[in-house]
């Protein structure tokens, strides 16, 4: 630990960000983080939640679950039970969230497969860039036998083509 290159996680003093571009980027990232945390809280704890933000430019952003009417009603009277219509809307919203979550998981699996495929393609391209004698040393006995058979076929085909060309040239 003597040769520690970084100072690790540092405490950053809370102060207003002066640069407008940095301020907007920071707001956007933190807003996304809050949305993610709120949706995790809804999904894991099955709670009702509502948030309203105003960006530095004055644009409003909101997150409500199950919907704004249910949140406002619960805020005004915490002991009130949700109406039948609000319960149906909440159930529909939860179903929609679960459906979107499963689609996201499927897309994550597809993304992982595509990353693996790209890695394989990159390895193939790298192998093609090597000379044939460099890449042939990586073959096992079966692959060497297949390569030898392929080479014999190529030589045979080339010999036939050469004979055809010679016969065509001699006849004219």
């Amino acid at each position: 630990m003597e040769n520690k290159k970084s100072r690790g996680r540092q405490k950053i003093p809370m102060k207003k960000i002066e640069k407008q571009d940095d301020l907007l980027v920071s707001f956007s990232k933190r807003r996304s983080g809050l949305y993610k945390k709120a949706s995790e809280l809804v999904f894991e704890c099955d709670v009702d939640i509502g948030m309203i933000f105003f960006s530095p430019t004055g644009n409003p952003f909101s997150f409500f679950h199950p919907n704004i009417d249910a949140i406002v009603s619960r805020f005004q009277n915490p002991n009130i039970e949700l109406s039948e219509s609000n319960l149906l809307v909440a159930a529909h919203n939860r179903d929609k969230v679960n459906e979107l979550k499963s689609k996201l998981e499927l897309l994550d699996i597809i993304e992982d497969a595509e990353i693996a495929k790209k890695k394989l393609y990159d390895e193939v391209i790298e192998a093609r860039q090597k000379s044939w004698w460099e890449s042939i040393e990586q073959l096992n006995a079966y692959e060497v036998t297949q390569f030898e058979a392929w080479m014999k076929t190529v030589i045979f085909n080339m010999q036939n083509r050469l004979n055809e060309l010679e016969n065509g040239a001699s006849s004219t």
Side-chain angles (χ1 to χ4, degrees):
M1 294 206 27
E2 292 177 21
N3 297 332
K4 194 173 184 183
K5 292 189 171 42
S6 69
R7 297 187 303 175
R9 197 169 180 172
Q10 299 289 313
K11 185 172 183 177
I12 299 171
M14 294 297 287
K15 63 179 181 178
K16 184 172 179 178
I17 300 171
E18 299 299 329
K19 213 171 155 188
Q20 187 69 13
D21 290 343
D22 293 345
L23 179 71
L24 295 175
V25 168
S26 180
F27 173 79
S28 178
K29 287 181 180 179
R30 288 182 181 264
R31 185 190 72 231
S32 297
L34 286 171
Y35 283 161
K36 185 175 180 181
K37 287 291 183 188
S39 64
E40 287 173 3
L41 192 62
V42 166
F43 185 74
E44 293 173 2
C45 302
D46 196 29
V47 297
D48 297 340
I49 192 167
M51 301 184 300
I52 299 175
F53 314 114
F54 288 93
S55 72
T57 58
N59 295 331
F61 295 92
S62 63
F63 179 96
F64 290 96
H65 183 81
N67 59 34
I68 191 169
D69 295 330
I71 298 298
V72 171
S73 299
R74 293 278 304 270
F75 185 75
Q76 290 173 341
N77 188 356
N79 299 328
I80 194 170
E81 289 293 321
L82 290 177
S83 69
E84 195 67 33
S85 63
N86 281 340
L87 288 173
L88 287 173
V89 168
H92 173 71
N93 289 345
R94 282 190 180 86
D95 290 342
K96 189 73 172 170
V97 166
N98 289 335
E99 177 186 333
L100 291 172
K101 193 168 184 105
S102 65
K103 283 183 181 179
L104 180 62
E105 289 171 357
L106 178 63
L107 288 173
D108 286 342
I109 291 169
I110 292 170
E111 180 186 28
D112 291 343
E114 291 299 320
I115 289 170
K117 193 187 297 184
K118 183 186 181 312
K119 184 178 178 184
L120 181 66
Y121 288 149
D122 290 344
E123 289 173 2
V124 168
I125 288 170
E126 184 180 324
R128 283 184 181 166
Q129 290 173 347
K130 291 182 179 178
S131 302
W132 66 270
W133 58 85
E134 291 176 4
S135 61
I136 200 168
E137 292 179 6
Q138 298 175 359
L139 300 178
N140 61 30
Y142 176 73
E143 292 170 332
V144 169
T145 307
Q146 280 186 318
F147 185 69
E148 182 183 22
W150 177 78
M151 290 292 284
K152 286 180 180 178
T153 304
V154 168
I155 291 169
F156 178 77
N157 290 338
M158 288 177 65
Q159 191 64 43
N160 283 342
R161 180 66 180 143
L162 182 61
N163 290 339
E164 288 175 7
L165 291 173
E166 288 174 349
N167 290 339
S170 64
S171 65
T172 56

